[in-house]
Amino acid sequence: MESKKVGIIGIGLIGGSIAKGLRASGWASELIGIEANPAHAVKALSLRLVDEVLPLSEAIERVDILVCATPVDILVQIIPNVLDQLKPGQIVIEVGSTKTPVYEVLKNHPKRAQFVSTHPMAGTEFSGPEAAVEGLFMGKRGVICDKELSSPEAIETIESLYLAGLGMNLIYMESIDHDVHTAYISHISHICSFALANTVLEKEKNEERIFELASTGFESTVRLAKSSPETWSQIFHQNQDNLMDVLDEYINTLLKYKGLMLSGSYEKLKEELGKANDIGRILTKH
């Protein structure tokens, strides 16, 4: 497949890392940024994440593919506007962490076939253009949702973007299923990390002791608490119903552990902790 001209709306961690990956692989012949934050636009150019930054309407005239990498609340506003302006053969994708709101707003759009819903399952706790990482997506899972709603040509192109351009492994699912599964696998991890960090900050007022005693276990558990509050509050909002379900289950599990400890039932607690070890088998068998 010949190299494409790619526009990226939102040149932060994910958008910038996609740009780095497509540049390194040679999949994109030209990278154009669309960025509402002037400081981010300047930084993206200085880091050579993109070749130039243009207004959205000008970028649409120049590119084959538009990647929407904005916060999830903005996607439902931007994508219908972008689709309205697309010429035949152009494609727009989004890379957000929730899918159902975009699915709902686009399901009756006359150019829906030129849109592909995707989620590259990779990231870090950092944000902004300087957080972009080359190779961030290599070997990771890329999700394509609602494949049957996109044109075969659009799917083939975006499959190539993820496989040849970014080195990802693809899986396919429906938008509603995606949001259920990510609530349990991704979103709960983030909200629990934020909660643990706030618990420690509330109870341990001696910052020096936190620094001195924090081991690798604590650091790995609260790493996600350094993520963008703006980004994650929006994700929690958009996936609230699924997240409420998983939070109820998580809180019930914590209360079970607490009850076993209060009753002195440490043999039973050991059994419960042992069940958790099975997650290692699941994560390593593939």
Side-chain angles (χ1 to χ4, degrees), residues 32 54-63:
I32 295 174
L54 294 176
L56 178 59
S57 58
E58 292 183 34
I60 290 175
E61 290 296 316
R62 293 267 299 275
V63 303

Side-chain angles (χ1 to χ4, degrees), residues 67-120:
V67 178
C68 294
T70 66
V72 291
D73 279 6
I74 300 175
L75 290 175
V76 295
Q77 304 167 32
I78 286 182
I79 298 175
N81 176 42
V82 169
L83 274 176
D84 289 342
Q85 300 179 60
L86 290 192
K87 299 185 292 290
Q90 289 181 301
I91 302 166
V92 59
I93 73 171
E94 54 90 8
V95 295
S97 295
T98 58
K99 294 289 166 251
T100 305
V102 173
Y103 167 84
E104 290 293 337
V105 80
L106 293 183
K107 62 184 179 182
N108 296 318
H109 197 285
K111 295 182 181 179
R112 172 60 182 78
Q114 290 176 253
F115 168 73
V116 181
S117 177
T118 77
H119 184 192

Side-chain angles (χ1 to χ4, degrees), residues 177-211:
D177 291 337
H178 169 278
D179 287 0
V180 171
H181 295 311
T182 53
Y184 274 92
I185 305 303
S186 172
H187 303 170
I188 187 64
S189 302
H190 283 80
I191 202 166
C192 290
S193 186
F194 283 117
L196 177 59
N198 279 336
T199 300
V200 172
L201 291 170
E202 181 64 30
K203 299 299 288 186
E204 177 56 87
K205 300 300 185 182
N206 189 328
E207 293 186 11
E208 195 63 28
R209 286 290 176 258
I210 296 176
F211 176 79

Side-chain angles (χ1 to χ4, degrees), residues 58-60 87 96 110 113 120 141 151 197 217 220 231 238 281:
E58 292 183 34
I60 290 175
K87 299 185 292 290
R141 299 285 186 179
S151 72
S220 63
T231 296
Q238 288 209 356
R281 175 187 60 81

